[in-house]
Amino acid sequence: MKSKPRVIGYWVTTGLLAAAFLAGGAAELASGTAAVASTLALGYPAYFLTILGAWKVLSVPALLAPRLARLKEWAYAGIFFDLTGAAASHAFSGDTPGKIATPLVLLAIAAASWALRPPSRSWKPDAPLPKSAPAVALPKDVAA
């Protein structure tokens, strides 16, 4: 049974996360002066913006599209790596606590989105394959 507050919480956190990653990814792909300066200050090359920006923008449809549960798991993992890496980069470069906390707050929102996702958006590796999936012969099933 779905509880209405859980569904609302999922969509609020997922919407905030998607908006933040779409805006951040677009800003990084645009390679504006502020984004380039911030990236260089952290010790990364400017082309890093293109890589991160593309992955951030691609994470948004993966999070919002129906089904595609395994792809969603990869998107959440990428978001986790991006945000923890951002917090660590700001910490190691001596940035202010606010710049360290910002990705950690987004990480908390991402964790809430992941935890509140409905079963239809969760990947269950032990779930049976769809009937249309081809059977795979395991080594024990193959006669010698």
Side-chain angles (χ1 to χ4, degrees):
M1 180 172 125
K2 292 184 195 175
S3 67
K4 196 169 188 169
R6 184 179 178 94
V7 172
I8 292 169
Y10 168 76
W11 281 110
V12 167
T13 56
T14 305
L16 287 171
L17 185 63
F21 267 69
L22 183 62
E28 289 170 350
L29 286 173
S31 294
T33 9
V36 171
S38 176
T39 301
L40 295 175
L42 291 173
Y44 297 109
Y47 68 80
F48 205 54
L49 288 170
T50 304
I51 297 167
L52 286 178
W55 285 115
K56 285 181 182 180
V57 169
L58 289 171
S59 73
V60 173
L63 289 178
L64 297 178
R67 295 180 295 278
L68 306 172
R70 188 177 301 190
L71 184 61
K72 285 181 197 329
E73 290 295 319
W74 279 99
Y76 280 115
I79 288 167
F80 173 83
F81 297 138
D82 175 73
L83 294 172
T84 55
S89 295
H90 285 293
F92 294 139
S93 70
D95 275 341
T96 62
K99 286 193 176 187
I100 300 166
T102 301
L104 295 176
V105 169
L106 283 171
L107 182 61
I109 293 169
S113 170
W114 181 85
L116 294 171
R117 70 199 192 287
S120 65
R121 292 174 176 260
S122 299
W123 180 53
K124 297 164 199 70
D126 296 333
L129 293 172
K131 293 184 187 217
S132 62
V136 177
L138 299 174
K140 65 179 175 123
D141 297 333
V142 178

